[in-house]
Amino acid sequence: MNHPERYQFPLTLSNQRRVCGLPLDELVLYVPLAICAIFINSWIFAPALAGAIIGVRRLKRGKGSRYLLSLSYWLLPTPVMRFFISGIN
């Protein structure tokens, strides 16, 4: 009757789901670039991967993934955000 796994909560609200140590938003960006750097052309995709890593880390500044979503909401044009978030009318 007592199921301890049902009541496990994160330690903090910013404790997010990670895969191989990376938050999901970074994983979605880094893995395709890394695969392209390995299998297609490392001279093009390796600097793009390095730029993505440096850029995302600098934009987030230690904040969570929700910060990037809110930053893109306020800085990107509305048609671009409508592509990513379907709830915007």
Side-chain angles (χ1 to χ4, degrees), residues 6-77:
R6 184 183 294 179
Y7 302 107
Q8 290 183 352
F9 296 101
L11 298 175
T12 62
L13 293 177
S14 63
N15 190 3
Q16 55 191 341
R17 189 173 178 197
R18 293 181 176 264
V19 179
C20 296
L22 291 173
L24 196 57
D25 61 340
E26 293 180 18
L27 183 80
V28 168
L29 181 64
Y30 300 159
V31 168
L33 283 174
I35 290 172
C36 289
I38 292 170
F39 293 113
I40 296 176
N41 190 350
S42 64
W43 290 101
I44 295 173
F45 291 106
L49 178 62
I53 291 171
I54 293 169
V56 168
R57 297 290 167 118
R58 187 167 288 176
L59 277 175
K60 286 176 80 170
R61 291 185 220 125
K63 297 179 176 107
S65 300
R66 184 66 82 181
Y67 177 73
L68 279 183
L69 182 62
S70 64
L71 185 68
S72 61
Y73 174 79
W74 289 107
L75 296 179
L76 289 177

